[in-house]
Amino acid sequence: MEQPPLLSFYAAATVPSARSAYQQILFEYAQARATEQNDPNQKFYLNNTVFSGPWGRLQNDGPTTSVITLMEFAYVYQDNKGSKDTVRSLIYDSAAHPV
């Protein structure tokens, strides 16, 4: 499976400010997904506001692709000297976001 573009950009970034910007976006994505998982039937705009208009079938592939992206980000983040505690608190915090 091919990496999502943003994750590829993060992994390939050599300029610290670019890597930091991609990293921030990915951590914000993790937070948004944790918030959204509380209601899987909701649909959201890219800015994380709720879409309340009519829509078609349920999208059940979202959680899977999100998990794959966040797991890959966690591995790449740690490979680049990122903290395991940061991964636990910002990507996977089962106390704050129980499944």
Side-chain angles (χ1 to χ4, degrees), residues 33-46:
R33 293 303 299 163
T35 301
E36 293 168 5
Q37 80 178 3
N38 292 327
D39 189 350
N41 295 320
Q42 285 285 339
K43 193 170 178 182
F44 294 85
Y45 288 106
L46 292 176

Side-chain angles (χ1 to χ4, degrees), residues 67-88:
V67 167
I68 291 168
T69 298
L70 293 172
M71 285 173 42
E72 290 180 8
F73 171 49
Y75 291 133
V76 173
Y77 176 76
Q78 291 180 82
D79 285 347
N80 287 283
K81 301 185 187 319
S83 160
K84 187 179 282 189
D85 289 336
T86 300
V87 169
R88 285 185 181 134

Side-chain angles (χ1 to χ4, degrees), residues 1 6 15 45 58-59 63 77 85 87 97:
M1 182 174 171
L6 183 62
V15 176
Y45 288 106
L58 295 176
Q59 302 293 313
Y77 176 76
D85 289 336
V87 169
H97 307 288

Side-chain angles (χ1 to χ4, degrees), residues 2-82:
E2 189 175 317
Q3 282 186 337
L6 183 62
L7 186 55
S8 296
F9 295 154
Y10 170 75
T14 57
V15 176
S17 61
R19 178 174 288 273
S20 179
Y22 294 134
Q23 179 177 302
Q24 181 62 35
I25 292 167
L26 286 159
F27 280 129
E28 289 173 3
Y29 173 71
Q31 180 60 47
R33 293 303 299 163
T35 301
E36 293 168 5
Q37 80 178 3
N38 292 327
D39 189 350
N41 295 320
Q42 285 285 339
K43 193 170 178 182
F44 294 85
Y45 288 106
L46 292 176
N47 67 1
N48 211 35
T49 58
V50 176
F51 173 80
S52 59
W55 55 293
R57 68 175 179 84
L58 295 176
Q59 302 293 313
N60 60 4
D61 58 343
T64 304
T65 57
S66 296
V67 167
I68 291 168
T69 298
L70 293 172
M71 285 173 42
E72 290 180 8
F73 171 49
Y75 291 133
V76 173
Y77 176 76
Q78 291 180 82
D79 285 347
N80 287 283
K81 301 185 187 319

